Amino acid sequence: QGSLDCPNLEFEYGDADGHGAELAELYSYTEEPELSHNRRCFEEDFHAQAPGRRWLELDGAQQKAFVMRLLDGLEVVNRDRRLRVARAILYLAQGVFGDCDSEGDVLHWSRHNSFLLYRLGTFSAFLELLNMEIENSQACSSALRKPAISLADSTELRVLLSVMYLMVENIRVEQETDPPEWKTCRETFRMELSFPVHTEEPFALLLFTMVTKFCSGHAPHFPMKKVLLLLWKVLLFTLGGFEALQAMKVRRREELGLPPLPEDSIQVVRSMRAASPPTYSIELVEQQQQQKRGHRSRRPLVKQDSLDIYNERDPFKNDEAGVEEEESDDVDSGIEGELDLLERDTIIPPLPPQRLPIERVSFPKGLPWAPKVRQKDIEHFLEASRNKFIGFTLGQDTETLIGLPRPIHESVKTLKQHKYISISDVQIKNEEELEKCPMSLGEEEVQETPCEVLYRAMLYNLPQYMIALLKILLAAAPTSKAKTDSINILADVLPEEMPVTVLQSMKLGIDVNRHKEIIVKSISASLLLLLKHFKLNHIYQFEYVSQHLVFANCIPLILKFFNQNIMSYITAKNSISVLDYPHCTVCDLPELTAESLEAGDNNQFCWRNLFSCINLLRILNKLTKWKHSRTMMLVVFKSAPILKRALKVKQAMLQLYVLKLLKIQTKYLGRQWRKSNMKTMSAIYQKVRHRMNDDWAYGNDIDARPWDFQAEECTLRANIEAFNSRRYECARPPEFAPVDNCLQSVLGQRLDLPRDFHHSYELWLEREVFAQPIRWEELLHCH
């Protein structure tokens, strides 16, 4: 699609999609026959216990008694009987759809039964079974021997994970009509998942372990999509979503005595409007003229200005080098050519100079964000001013303005008005002090939040977890070519018997694409949640995770993901709505034809794909913000044309994060790029927060000078390691424990003295204190 005919996308970003959609994504279309299998397992048992009755007709006590009987059935040794009982419980969690008339009823009973199951201890029973299945070496070895793994290899695991997912998702989602006992149930469940019982790890860690075991090749039969979906929902439930994060941030700022946030970022982004994307018309006309002139016009290499080193001759050229220089064969360079042809149809003749462009974008009065200034910016500004007017500097002094002209006084006053101290700044300062004075400051009080517990549990294997998640993300990305050594993420979507008809192949093709999209969605959302929560909990926890993501090539991976026709990814129709749960459970399925499969839904875009794209852009922003070494990676991997193409998607939030990524690298892209991308530059000015003194649009900044970027990462790594060893390694030996040397507090301490001391203390005083002469010269000699 050309950039002109892309409509505004009515998309509302949130923690997750609608409740029904999130439950539907748990099941592959190849799993659909198992729904009726679960129903049979339940009804055989139920009709034997309550003949002629329906589940919906039973009262609370009868339902409870029946579930207790089922849970007893999980204790048997026979695997097949255990699986039948687990399927019956799964049918309850799926909303006893055989008794329901509408999709709303199925969802209602699914929630009702999930709360009932939780109250009777089903989750902990299934957790034990899951642990047994993970340790099942027989299943692992038989899967390793098979040439092709299919759905049948993960049956038990899929049933267990489905029940757990349905319980987590149904209990997590709040509704106004929920009775009070459900609310207490929700809090209890959240605590149970967050804080380990009996000194075990939090539940999320078990899922992380499953991910690494799968990626290492020891358990290729693990149903990864279900594991990753459950992991994402557990993180969302235990740590909190985006609005909870914003509230926690406000509360933490209050606790630290910092001024309140200048605005609510969620509200600002929601009220933003999409800008019309750059049309590339002038660039394309220039490109055609260059092609006419032929190769002879290409000038030999000349020495460039240091700021123009990374300037591209033509921002829309075919990148043979691609995104990853090491793996040039990986990148589909044809995507650029494809887009080139698409754009050529929409060339607009250059406008005469006196006429203004007809298309105007209406923006709210004033800019959307309050400007921010860091303490460092004020120091830099004063240092430059003092050097210029006085000839010497005063270090970090931002108060003394003697000898500086009046306009500088005004500038400093304005900068201080917009000064913003982040929670991270306070945490870094505290950490420096704790490193300097470990004795006198004593032990730091660390709040036992779910986030802190999770970080502590993840700490020692964190690099492996990050590498595993990125490996799966790479395998699920649409731009990745199938390689023999890449991991097989389709084990839990491929049927035992491969399709024979064209229709079956089409259905499986849609299923596989949908499967990959759901994996991308869950990994991107999980990584973003981890980064945001760790950053609020402690900046060095965030830096540790982000540094390992960078080391595992997360930056080129995300750029590679965006090196495709993003419009076609966002409008992809990889779903068959008639086969989606809960629709398929209560409606008679029509005869599937090639036309009905191709039709898909009538939505303007695919919610999960737009959600994934925004998440990945937010992760990229988090990794590169204030890090010059990583910003240079964006430049070296030629991210500007890739990101610029993503601006075609007319959705304000996605555009905002693309523009942020372009803003941080404009000073490195050279004057020519800025000149030929003025529409993008003005969009950055209108949408992205202003940092006073930030020279992003000109490139005269000190930050744009080349320097040793490796040193920056090494210093950061040293700080992270110091933090981790101080807070999480074994306790100090007693001789290095802080000593209380305050006379009053020492004398005021209550000491438990032995009983015989009261009888003999006068004798002790006489002998040890009064009878001994004080040798003052020895005391002097000691000092």
Side-chain angles (χ1 to χ4, degrees):
Q1 290 189 357
S3 57
L4 297 181
D5 56 356
C6 169
N8 277 313
L9 303 182
E10 299 298 320
F11 168 81
E12 192 167 319
Y13 184 80
D15 291 323
D17 202 349
H19 188 51
E22 289 296 341
L23 296 187
E25 287 181 356
L26 178 64
Y27 312 102
S28 305
Y29 297 139
T30 41
E31 282 181 277
E32 190 207 339
E34 294 189 19
L35 290 168
S36 49
H37 187 19
N38 299 339
R39 181 180 172 180
R40 278 198 307 278
C41 289
F42 172 83
E43 287 181 348
E44 282 170 18
D45 201 340
F46 185 70
H47 291 319
Q49 296 302 312
R53 305 284 301 276
R54 293 167 68 212
W55 174 260
L56 314 188
E57 296 167 356
L58 301 184
D59 61 27
Q62 289 169 321
Q63 287 182 347
K64 204 179 272 189
F66 182 72
V67 171
M68 292 300 279
R69 267 202 70 266
L70 282 177
L71 290 174
D72 286 342
L74 288 176
E75 302 290 329
V76 296
V77 177
N78 185 312
R79 268 174 80 82
D80 292 336
R81 280 184 59 195
R82 267 209 316 265
L83 181 61
R84 289 184 70 76
V85 173
R87 282 193 181 282
I89 292 173
L90 176 55
Y91 176 69
L92 281 175
Q94 285 169 340
V96 285
F97 47 80
D99 295 352
C100 297
D101 303 319
S102 68
E103 292 180 36
D105 283 353
V106 177
L107 294 176
H108 166 78
W109 281 102
S110 179
R111 288 193 80 221
H112 174 275
N113 292 344
S114 294
F115 278 98
L116 174 69
L117 288 168
Y118 172 68
R119 281 206 300 270
L120 298 176
T122 312
F123 193 86
S124 43
F126 270 68
L127 184 54
E128 282 180 31
L129 290 174
L130 181 64
N131 272 311
M132 275 168 56
E133 276 305 318
I134 292 168
E135 298 305 321
N136 184 348
S137 53
Q138 192 184 342
C140 291
S141 56
S142 72
L144 284 166
R145 283 197 302 272
K146 281 191 179 178
I149 303 169
S150 68
L151 274 174
D153 295 290
S154 58
T155 307
E156 283 92 345
L157 278 167
R158 282 184 298 107
V159 170
L160 298 175
L161 289 165
S162 296
V163 171
M164 294 169 106
Y165 178 85
L166 288 167
M167 288 175 71
V168 169
E169 183 61 1
N170 279 321
I171 295 174
R172 180 188 74 81
V173 174
E174 292 181 47
Q175 288 182 6
E176 287 177 11
T177 51
D178 289 353
E181 61 267 21
W182 282 16
K183 287 176 183 169
T184 50
C185 224
R186 182 176 297 117
E187 279 313 303
T188 316
F189 192 25
R190 183 186 279 134
M191 295 296 279
E192 188 183 314
L193 290 174
S194 310
F195 298 105
V197 191
H198 316 306
T199 67
E200 293 165 13
E201 297 101 350
F203 179 58
L205 200 80
L206 178 70
L207 300 172
F208 271 119
T209 313
M210 286 184 80
V211 174
T212 46
K213 202 170 176 186
F214 171 80
C215 282
S216 65
H218 296 311
H221 65 297
F222 281 2
M224 248 325 97
K225 184 190 84 173
K226 284 182 166 53
V227 173
L228 291 165
L229 276 172
L230 181 53
L231 174 62
W232 166 38
K233 290 302 165 66
V234 167
L235 292 175
L236 189 56
F237 186 27
T238 56
L239 304 181
F242 300 126
E243 289 192 357
L245 252 166
Q246 186 74 5
M248 283 155 70
K249 197 173 181 181
V250 169
R251 201 164 57 245
R252 182 66 65 85
R253 288 185 70 82
E254 269 177 32
E255 287 167 9
L256 294 171
L258 295 172
L261 292 164
E263 69 277 289
D264 183 343
S265 52
I266 294 172
Q267 295 308 321
V268 174
V269 172
R270 276 186 187 154
S271 59
M272 268 190 176
R273 295 189 47 195
S276 56
T279 52
Y280 309 108
S281 56
I282 296 157
E283 291 171 24
L284 287 163
V285 170
E286 282 175 4
Q287 192 180 343
Q288 283 175 326
Q289 287 168 353
Q290 274 184 358
Q291 283 167 354
K292 280 175 196 166
R293 286 200 295 270
H295 296 288
R296 283 168 303 158
S297 65
R298 285 191 175 176
R299 290 177 299 161
L301 275 169
V302 291
K303 191 168 184 292
Q304 284 178 304
D305 178 62
S306 67
L307 299 180
D308 283 342
I309 287 170
Y310 299 98
N311 182 23
E312 299 158 16
R313 269 195 308 278
D314 175 3
F316 212 76
K317 69 172 182 286
N318 250 1
D319 286 338
E320 280 88 21
V323 183
E324 286 185 298
E325 293 187 336
E326 299 82 17
E327 298 189 323
S328 52
D329 58 327
D330 254 17
V331 178
D332 188 1
S333 59
I335 292 171
E336 262 95 326
E338 229 173 274
L339 285 165
D340 195 16
L341 292 167
L342 285 169
E343 292 291 348
R344 231 166 255 184
D345 304 335
T346 59
I347 290 176
I348 305 163
L351 295 165
Q354 71 272 19
R355 269 175 57 198
L356 288 165
I358 302 155
E359 191 184 343
R360 283 198 183 139
V361 186
S362 56
F363 276 92
K365 284 177 185 173
L367 296 164
W369 304 98
K372 282 181 181 177
V373 180
R374 295 180 300 168
Q375 176 69 16
K376 204 158 64 169
D377 299 331
I378 303 174
E379 287 167 14
H380 281 168
F381 175 73
L382 274 170
E383 188 176 10
S385 306
R386 284 175 187 140
N387 261 332
K388 183 178 176 183
F389 293 107
I390 307 170
F392 65 87
T393 59
L394 298 173
Q396 294 181 335
D397 183 348
T398 56
E399 300 304 317
T400 311
L401 303 175
I402 296 161
L404 296 174
R406 190 88 226 138
I408 299 291
H409 286 238
E410 292 298 320
S411 300
V412 172
K413 187 182 169 190
T414 309
L415 288 173
K416 284 184 176 174
Q417 270 174 358
H418 294 286
K419 181 176 159 186
Y420 175 77
I421 301 168
S422 68
I423 295 168
S424 305
D425 294 338
V426 177
Q427 289 169 342
I428 289 170
K429 202 169 175 217
N430 288 348
E431 199 55 36
E432 282 172 5
E433 285 173 8
L434 282 163
E435 280 296 315
K436 263 189 221 161
C437 322
M439 306 289 178
S440 54
L441 289 176
E443 285 297 315
E444 175 195 20
E445 271 187 47
V446 182
Q447 280 184 312
E448 276 292 274
T449 58
C451 190
E452 181 64 33
V453 171
L454 181 65
Y455 181 79
R456 202 167 51 231
M458 285 176 70
L459 181 60
Y460 294 106
N461 290 319
L462 198 136
Q464 287 90 302
Y465 300 145
M466 294 305 117
I467 289 166
L469 288 176
L470 292 183
K471 262 188 183 176
I472 299 170
L473 184 61
L474 178 66
T479 47
S480 293
K481 291 195 176 85
K483 280 206 261 171
T484 46
D485 60 338
S486 65
I487 46 175
N488 174 21
I489 53 167
L490 304 177
D492 53 330
V493 70
L494 298 175
E496 279 185 276
E497 293 168 9
M498 292 308 276
V500 283
T501 66
V502 175
L503 193 68
Q504 285 174 334
S505 299
M506 280 178 71
K507 183 181 159 191
L508 184 60
I510 290 170
D511 208 0
V512 164
N513 289 337
R514 173 177 177 267
H515 183 80
K516 287 181 173 180
E517 287 172 6
I518 294 166
I519 286 175
V520 172
K521 171 187 173 180
S522 51
I523 291 179
S524 65
S526 300
L527 285 175
L528 182 61
L529 275 175
L530 284 173
L531 287 171
K532 285 187 81 65
H533 277 281
F534 286 150
K535 189 170 185 189
L536 183 59
N537 200 47
H538 199 289
I539 182 67
Y540 284 136
Q541 295 177 349
F542 160 79
E543 294 292 9
Y544 188 53
V545 175
S546 52
Q547 199 163 55
H548 279 293
L549 286 172
V550 172
F551 292 160
N553 274 339
C554 186
I555 292 175
L557 168 53
I558 294 176
L559 292 174
K560 185 175 181 172
F561 181 89
F562 280 94
N563 195 16
Q564 60 170 313
N565 188 338
I566 283 293
M567 268 316 297
S568 64
Y569 183 70
I570 276 166
T571 52
K573 296 269 190 283
N574 288 316
S575 56
I576 309 164
S577 45
V578 291
L579 295 182
D580 279 339
Y581 169 92
H583 183 277
C584 65
T585 59
V586 286
C587 302
D588 293 327
L589 297 184
E591 188 67 35
L592 285 179
T593 61
E595 290 73 34
S596 68
L597 287 181
E598 279 178 344
D601 50 33
N602 301 319
N603 293 339
Q604 192 189 16
F605 55 86
C606 173
W607 196 96
R608 69 173 160 263
N609 288 356
L610 191 41
F611 177 71
S612 301
C613 287
I614 292 174
N615 288 341
L616 290 170
L617 287 167
R618 293 183 79 181
I619 291 165
L620 203 48
N621 266 294
K622 289 236 164 290
L623 297 181
T624 50
K625 191 178 179 183
W626 302 122
K627 304 280 188 305
H628 303 298
S629 53
R630 298 173 195 177
T631 306
M632 291 309 292
M633 285 175 83
L634 292 178
V635 178
V636 168
F637 289 124
K638 295 193 175 70
S639 67
I642 295 169
L643 292 168
K644 223 179 97 180
R645 281 205 302 276
L647 287 174
K648 284 183 182 185
V649 181
K650 286 179 86 171
Q651 204 284 321
M653 194 169 187
L654 183 133
Q655 285 184 347
L656 171 70
Y657 289 108
V658 169
L659 292 170
K660 280 183 168 196
L661 287 164
L662 285 169
K663 179 187 173 181
I664 59 173
Q665 53 176 319
T666 48
K667 65 176 94 165
Y668 303 109
L669 292 171
R671 195 174 298 127
Q672 189 55 47
W673 187 91
R674 296 195 289 271
K675 221 160 78 178
S676 54
N677 287 281
M678 283 314 292
K679 194 166 183 185
T680 306
M681 297 288 279
S682 60
I684 291 171
Y685 176 82
Q686 285 168 325
K687 286 190 175 299
V688 182
R689 187 192 299 279
H690 286 270
R691 294 265 173 187
M692 293 178 177
N693 291 14
D694 184 2
D695 205 5
W696 66 272
Y698 302 100
N700 303 322
D701 197 334
I702 191 166
D703 292 344
R705 304 281 180 267
W707 71 40
D708 184 6
F709 291 124
Q710 228 174 350
E712 188 184 45
E713 288 287 350
C714 288
T715 310
L716 180 61
R717 194 170 186 178
N719 289 341
I720 295 165
E721 282 175 359
F723 164 77
N724 281 337
S725 64
R726 182 188 65 73
R727 201 190 261 196
Y728 301 108
E729 280 181 12
C730 55
R732 290 194 198 95
E735 60 266 25
F736 288 112
V739 178
D740 186 356
N741 50 15
C742 172
L743 185 67
Q744 280 183 321
S745 67
V746 170
L747 292 176
Q749 281 177 10
R750 287 187 61 82
L751 291 172
D752 288 332
L753 300 166
R755 201 173 289 167
D756 58 341
F757 181 79
H758 294 286
H759 304 300
S760 59
Y761 82 96
E762 289 176 342
L763 184 67
W764 179 84
L765 270 175
E766 189 62 46
R767 195 176 63 221
E768 297 292 329
V769 182
F770 304 139
Q772 294 289 336
I774 298 168
R775 300 186 181 88
W776 296 104
E777 67 283 357
E778 279 190 24
L779 280 172
L780 290 169
H781 183 64
C782 289
H783 282 284

